[in-house]
Amino acid sequence: MDSLQGKVVIVTGASEGIGAALVTSLRKRGAKLALVARTEAKLRALATADDLVIPFDLTLDAGRADVVERTAAHFGRVDALINNAGRGSYYSPTESPVADSRNLFELNFFAPMHLAQAATPWLKKTRGTIVNVSSIAGQISLPWLPIYSASKFALTSLSSTQRMELARHGVNVLTVFPGYVDTGFQAHANGSVPPATVVKGKQFAVTAAECAEAIVRGMEQRRRMVVTPLIGWPLVVLARLFPALTESRLGSVKLGETNLETM
Ligand SMILES: NC(=O)c1ccc[n+]([C@@H]2O[C@H](COP(=O)([O-])OP(=O)(O)OC[C@H]3O[C@@H](n4cnc5c(N)ncnc54)[C@H](OP(=O)(O)O)[C@@H]3O)[C@@H](O)[C@H]2O)c1
């Protein structure tokens, strides 16, 4: 069991949702926190005097490395990077605007990749942890979130190769696969509205606090992956075993439909 007491943790997307819940869970364990998101007022409302607040738009290439360097300069070390910030995009695969898709990849893939590159020298010194918050959509291609799915598949793959590279340096890489978590995620996504089937899935949702606790326990146990809620597991296994059936079932769901009973 790896104690988080006194550990320096960077949390992206810390202003609300899963990120804000991570702040609470990590603070309870005595971690020192750098909070990153665009909305400074929300970060300040959550922060204590001991936290470092870094208002920053992670879609911007320039400045990502500064997030890590400012944290290291302030606390003297970096023990964990949690790549949590992300957003969705409810467009069909053939209609997703290219500019929106690029912007989504900047946030969901290039920012985690870039921050991990900047943090790695520090994490090697502390034998620390990278947490990449992917999604069940990073294991199963969801046609109502096609570019989001693609970005999370890319992050899942990057996470695996980071683990292969960094294990020999004592750095753990934890990939997180949340299913439905009750946050503002759907409201913040661009494009259409999620299909009714997806909205119905809310009955299986976990709270942001439950998701954050699962992630932090995964960090303490230096696990390689966390799936939350656990109902995600059978879905992943079914999709792997029966890919054609999965495609045909998911393909019957129409983006923006309001009363779908299939699946
Ligand atoms: N909720 C779910 O059902 C679910 C399921 C699977 C995976 N996930 C993943 O979990 C992670 C957290 O999602 P959530 O549900 O907590 O979503 P959320 O409630 O919408 O929170 C998103 C966070 O990311 C920050 N963010 C958004 N754009 C940003 C940008 N350009 N630069 C910096 N920060 C930015 C937001 O803060 P600002 O707006 O202040 O910048 C906010 O703190 C995401 O990676 C998401 O893909 C969520």
Side-chain angles (χ1 to χ4, degrees):
M1 194 79 162
D2 205 16
S3 167
L4 289 162
Q5 177 69 41
K7 297 281 169 68
V8 175
V9 184
I10 300 171
V11 184
T12 72
S15 62
E16 61 181 292
I18 297 167
L22 279 166
V23 168
T24 305
S25 292
L26 290 162
R27 187 176 286 136
K28 266 197 304 200
R29 284 153 168 98
K32 297 176 181 174
L33 303 173
L35 313 184
V36 187
R38 290 168 302 181
T39 319
E40 183 168 0
K42 286 188 193 168
L43 292 177
R44 298 238 173 253
L46 266 172
T48 67
D50 296 332
D51 298 333
L52 177 63
V53 168
I54 307 180
F56 181 61
D57 181 346
L58 285 160
T59 62
L60 303 174
D61 192 59
R64 287 185 191 132
D66 288 348
V67 168
V68 175
E69 292 314 315
R70 279 185 62 188
T71 305
H74 185 82
F75 293 111
R77 57 190 284 148
V78 179
D79 295 279
L81 164 68
I82 306 185
N83 284 313
N84 165 73
R87 77 161 169 91
S89 178
Y90 292 104
Y91 291 105
S92 84
T94 57
E95 289 165 2
S96 292
V98 172
D100 181 71
S101 306
R102 276 216 177 91
N103 181 271
L104 185 129
F105 258 81
E106 283 295 341
L107 180 63
N108 292 7
F109 178 74
F110 288 109
M113 175 189 142
H114 202 160
L115 290 174
Q117 288 181 351
T120 291
W122 294 99
L123 296 174
K124 282 182 179 173
K125 286 186 200 165
T126 55
R127 301 177 76 80
T129 301
I130 296 171
V131 179
N132 290 314
V133 181
S134 179
S135 168
I136 284 293
Q139 292 271 359
I140 305 170
S141 298
L142 303 181
W144 52 90
L145 281 166
I147 310 305
Y148 175 79
S149 254
S151 72
K152 293 296 188 178
F153 264 78
L155 182 61
T156 302
S157 173
L158 177 72
S159 212
S160 296
T161 51
Q162 286 171 337
R163 187 176 305 114
M164 293 175 206
E165 177 190 348
L166 295 174
R168 73 184 73 108
H169 299 283
V171 177
N172 187 51
V173 180
L174 168 64
T175 320
V176 184
F177 300 98
Y180 204 138
V181 187
D182 199 4
T183 68
F185 175 83
Q186 293 192 346
H188 299 150
N190 286 0
S192 183
V193 292
T197 317
V198 178
V199 178
K200 269 199 311 194
K202 204 165 179 175
Q203 59 189 303
F204 300 111
V206 289
T207 63
E210 287 167 329
C211 180
E213 274 299 309
I215 295 171
V216 172
R217 281 197 301 274
M219 293 172 74
E220 289 172 327
Q221 294 162 6
R222 295 184 80 78
R223 286 173 56 185
R224 61 185 294 282
M225 66 191 284
V226 163
V227 178
T228 174
L230 285 173
I231 190 153
W233 271 116
L235 297 179
V236 170
V237 172
L238 279 174
R240 289 272 164 86
L241 290 178
F242 306 107
L245 178 68
T246 306
E247 270 180 22
S248 105
R249 297 291 285 176
L250 291 176
S252 70
V253 178
K254 298 278 190 311
L255 183 64
E257 275 194 5
T258 52
N259 191 23
L260 204 78
E261 297 300 329
T262 57
M263 271 186 70

